[in-house]
Amino acid sequence: MIFKLEDVTVYFPYDNIYPEQYSYMLELKRALDAKGHCLLEMPTGTGKTIALLSLITSYVLSKPENPVKLIYCTRTVHEMEKTLAELKLLHNYQTRHLGPAAKILAIGLSSRKNLCVNSRVLAAENRDSVDAACRKRTASWVRALAAENPNIETCEFFENYEKAASAAVLPPGVYTLQDLRAFGKQQGWCPYFLARHMVQFANVVVYSYQYLLDPKVAGIISKEMQKESVVVFDEAHNIDNVCIEALSVSVRRQTLEGATRNLSRINQEIERFKATDAGRLRAEYNRLVEGLALRGNLPIADAWLSNPALPSDILKEAVPGNIRRAEHFLHVLRRLVQYLRGRLETENVEKEGPVSFVASITAHAGIDQKTLRFCYERLHSLMLTLEITDTDEFLHIQTICDFATLVGTYTRGFSIIIEPFDERMPHIPDPVLQLSCHDASLAVKPVFDRFQSVVITSGTLSPIDLYPRLLNFHPVVSRSFKMSLTRDCICPMVLTRGSDQLPVSTKFDMRSDPGVARNYGKLLVEMVSIVPDGIVCFFVSYSYMDEIIATWNDSGILKEIMQHKLVFIETQDVVETTLALDNYRKACDCGRGAVFFSVARILLARLEYLRDTFQIKEGDFLTFDALRQAAQCVGRVIRSKADYGMMIFADKRYSRHDKRSKLPGWILSHLRDAHLNLSTDMALHIAREFLRKMAQPYDKAGSIGRKTLLSQADLEKMTNDGSINEMLY
Amino acid sequence: MTNSERKRLNGEAEEEEEDEDDNLNGGLEAWERSYADDRSWEALQEDESGFLRPIDNSAFYHAQYRRRLRDRSLVATTARIQKGLIRYLYIVIDLSRAAAEMDFRPSRMAVVAKQVEAFVREFFDQNPLSQIGLVTVKDGVANCLTDLGGSPESHIKALMGKLGCSGDSSLQNALDLVQGLLSQIPSYGHREVLILYSALSTCDPGDIMETIQKCKESKIRCSVIGLSAEMFICKHLCQDTGGSYSVALDESHFKELIMEHAPPPPAIAEFAIANLIKMGFPQRAGEGSISICSCHKEVKVGVGYTCPRCKARVCELPTDCRICGLQLVSSPHLARSYHHLFPIAPFDEVTPLCLNDPRNRSRSTCFGCQQSLLSSGKWLCGKLCTS
């Protein structure tokens, strides 16, 4: 359908539109007009993505005088593919109605692992080794050698791409990762480098958060994006955590051991070069003296990850004298590793600020702050000089240098935490040294500063006023939309009492009460017997989950649950959890039924900092974070309007209005007063009725009176008589 | 005033109140409670002639209206629908632990048995040429309760004798068993399974997806009626094999759902090939004749039919001859099956406006009951389509 939205003609590829999509577009359009940032919350399953894409592309089409580039950030490759598929549909629709004038170039960009077409490179198992395998074939010195010696292997796709030089361009169109690979195969060009090259010309770029937020990657990928861009962060409820992770480093014992191995390997290389080609090392030294960290513009295939610190914080100075020589630098690194190893030996949990940490390094290892700061660039330069291509082997020493650079650069917003063991298993020493960033606004600041509009959107952003404070920006629009439904397909309820009418809560002082654990167990046992297929059960922490599962196991509750459904448990190991999730899904699909025990994590270390810097009260943030976790957990319950789901908030604290009101509006609007203060048996009754009702055939168009799909005619009528406004507000 | 509200008001006195509440709820008998909950009497009123009529029947009429629309569109799109008149239907009854639940009163199992009885009778009434078999699932194992047969009484007797539930339920075992049994029947017969599923999970020995695939290949139409909630696997099964999936809200709804399966469904397109079927029309034996019947292996006097091919005696029609395997029917059976192929043409809507038209005067009364269409005030009332 085609309709007018103020002064923009919107091309929407479907015949009908949801009212909330319409208002979403309206708000977005106003934000674009104002050239400001915006924050929009709309439930999952209401077609956020297509509304966003069609509005922004139509906006560009309607106002050709200011071409805006769309940078769309997704969390996973899967989401990226889905977005591009939607965009393709939209693009087909637009070109059908507008002809070739509507043609755009849209590409998805991902790592080499997802884009490479060279079968020998792809044989490597993980991302880092694919990167390294690619470098082995495409590094400039390897190619120079290969020119003389045909036995050295290169990548024919890259060679062809280089040969085609400026002729290597993508014709307009929408390219998913798969399309890119197919195109690359057909033309014989490397899709990865082609895509990297085309990023600057494309009208729409879809890639991962990291490409904008992680300074290491953003420095090489997103450097040349124009200011007139709209940046969209989809599913952005965790954006602050992504920002924090981008600037956090953790060092374990294995890292240090690996780093030691790396150092001796580098040492060997240096010795070898000294014997064969001493001139190179000297040339590097001279270059460093002249203050050039890098050899001018590197060929695209040589470019490495860039500095972990944010661009504005990087010193434009010459590398300090004491690490200009390769051997000296190696000594510095050895001392640093040695020092860190010493710190890991600790018995207690230690917490320290970067300033005192650096001071202690200076005192014990004799490395000053400035030297630390340059570690990363010096290592980078050294690796290039030594012509090392198997970068995946050198991840450990890179981690150490990242750590050194960050610790040397930032004095605020970070802290160093050393934990001698995992808190769940105090007997097994597993020391971790974390440099954790507390300030999400640090990493995201360059994005807000650089681009004209940044759109942050997700199904769950409540409470919506906290995000601007956390990320330190001023949105021109921030709104939360409700979902128009043909039936009440979500059923939230607040359960405050167990079957014995005693209150249940995971509040700290009540946690260890055996009665509470038993009540929760009873609730779950009853629920598994009346809910079909899958149940996900969220706990507040791993330790609490372990404790309660042990109790249930002793009292036989677990066995009762197993009679109805299989039980899967999330662990901290990613592989194990993936496996568990996979089997959980399988069990749900084949009708066996399953329960998944998961953990909604809450981070505590940031509290103090947030209070000092942003005047966010600790309590506020805790409630926010806890409820955000809860909202995200339950927010996944439906993915489209045809789905349905129940959410049970089993804690008496939810019956308090101040806590509950932090939940997203679309959940709250379905929370009836009668469902607020339930005990187990009442909840069961409601659940049974709800599930029966939802199993009845679903009337998609909506019965009389509850119109949720608007056709073009409806929309025109409503705009003319002004009733659209009253529907929206 | 709901319990929760009361509690909030009383605050501290919560504990004492508790027992009283329980008594209050417990005071009602289980059967009373459901009526007390929806206050069904308030939705009724007496009309001038003393009949009770529902006040708000818009929902009812809406549903009726939609059904008529659906019927009509079905007729419009496929001018000639093939229907399977000779159906071989297995009814799978889930007698696992979940069937003992009391949310249907007195228990799911009893309700299912009662409705299956009604269904079996209705089924043979509408499809005299078809046969039914019963399968029960208990303790994760599927058992064939009765083989395919055309006698309602024997099925019902077998079912009533075997009620009792325990253990898990297994969809795969049931499907495997039924698939094995149904794959032997001749190709002109329409293979169907109707599963009455109480449980919410299935405990299977292998990959159920393969079994579903096998059912699909042997063209078995699987339908499921759930008694508690929607299950993904059942939905998948029904979608794949062309059956229907529904979940019962309460007993009357369950009855409605199960009765929907009585008239023959449209045949699966690729399966609907024309076939000639050999049938025998046996003669009814004379009053005083004595012979040994082939079905009970007993000497019987009087009532019975003689197979025209092998002259064996059978007690009931329709059936297959035990000796020569010929299908034995009587001509009224055949005729009764026939009306599914030529259903009554759908009714046209008559609006009050159109009734005021003088040309239509003659038709302002109902053809069947002679009541005036105007006075009934229900414009949905129809007239016979004369085309």
Side-chain angles (χ1 to χ4, degrees), chain A residues 497 501-502 528-533 563-565 588-593 644 673-674 676-677 682 685 688-689 691-697 699 703-704, chain B residues 3-4 7-8 14-15 18 37 62 66 97 101 103-104 108 168 200-204 208-209 227-233 246-250 253 257:
Chain A
R497 288 161 294 141
Q501 305 300 328
L502 289 177
V528 291
S529 67
I530 62 160
V531 176
D533 301 335
Q563 279 195 337
H564 295 280
K565 291 190 192 307
C588 290
D589 282 354
C590 79
R592 181 65 187 87
Y644 60 86
D673 278 349
L676 273 186
N677 191 11
M682 290 151 83
H685 181 72
R688 234 184 235 134
E689 297 289 302
L691 288 170
R692 285 228 168 88
K693 211 166 88 198
M694 285 302 124
Q696 301 313 312
D699 186 6
S703 48
I704 347 140
Chain B
N3 287 353
S4 54
K7 233 147 260 163
R8 231 171 293 142
E14 207 171 279
E15 295 302 315
E18 219 76 22
D37 281 352
H62 186 69
R66 291 193 68 84
R97 207 183 309 120
E101 295 238 357
D103 51 350
F104 285 54
R108 288 185 190 176
D168 290 315
L200 278 176
S201 62
T202 155
C203 214
D204 298 327
I208 190 164
M209 298 299 171
L227 280 102
S228 41
E230 189 177 57
M231 271 176 76
F232 176 80
I233 191 71
S246 43
V247 174
L249 288 171
D250 49 32
H253 188 225
L257 291 175

Side-chain angles (χ1 to χ4, degrees), chain B residues 119-128 336-337 339-340:
Chain B
F119 172 74
V120 169
R121 291 185 199 285
E122 174 74 16
F123 180 84
F124 283 119
D125 197 45
Q126 295 213 26
N127 313 277
R336 213 151 28 136
S337 298
H339 81 266
H340 292 300

Side-chain angles (χ1 to χ4, degrees), chain B residues 289-311:
Chain B
S289 63
I290 301 171
S291 60
I292 298 174
C293 98
S294 65
C295 33
H296 299 91
K297 318 258 183 321
E298 277 170 16
V299 179
K300 292 227 167 153
V301 185
V303 282
Y305 302 86
T306 321
C307 169
R309 190 151 72 182
C310 62
K311 307 288 179 227

Side-chain angles (χ1 to χ4, degrees), chain A residues 51 343 487 544 594:
Chain A
R343 289 301 300 264
R487 54 176 188 174
Y544 186 59

Side-chain angles (χ1 to χ4, degrees), chain B residues 347 355 361-377 381-384:
Chain B
F347 287 71
L355 280 173
R361 276 287 170 213
S362 57
R363 291 197 191 136
S364 59
T365 52
C366 171
F367 178 78
C369 59
Q370 302 299 318
Q371 263 191 8
S372 165
L373 293 178
L374 271 175
S375 69
S376 73
C381 215
K383 65 174 164 100
L384 255 178

Side-chain angles (χ1 to χ4, degrees), chain A residues 591-620:
Chain A
R592 181 65 187 87
V595 191
F596 191 77
F597 288 161
S598 183
V599 170
R601 284 167 216 85
I602 296 173
L603 300 165
L604 295 177
R606 288 163 64 195
L607 294 180
E608 226 169 283
Y609 178 78
L610 287 176
R611 186 191 53 204
D612 297 346
T613 323
F614 298 122
Q615 285 81 46
I616 298 173
K617 270 194 242 141
E618 282 152 314
D620 275 0

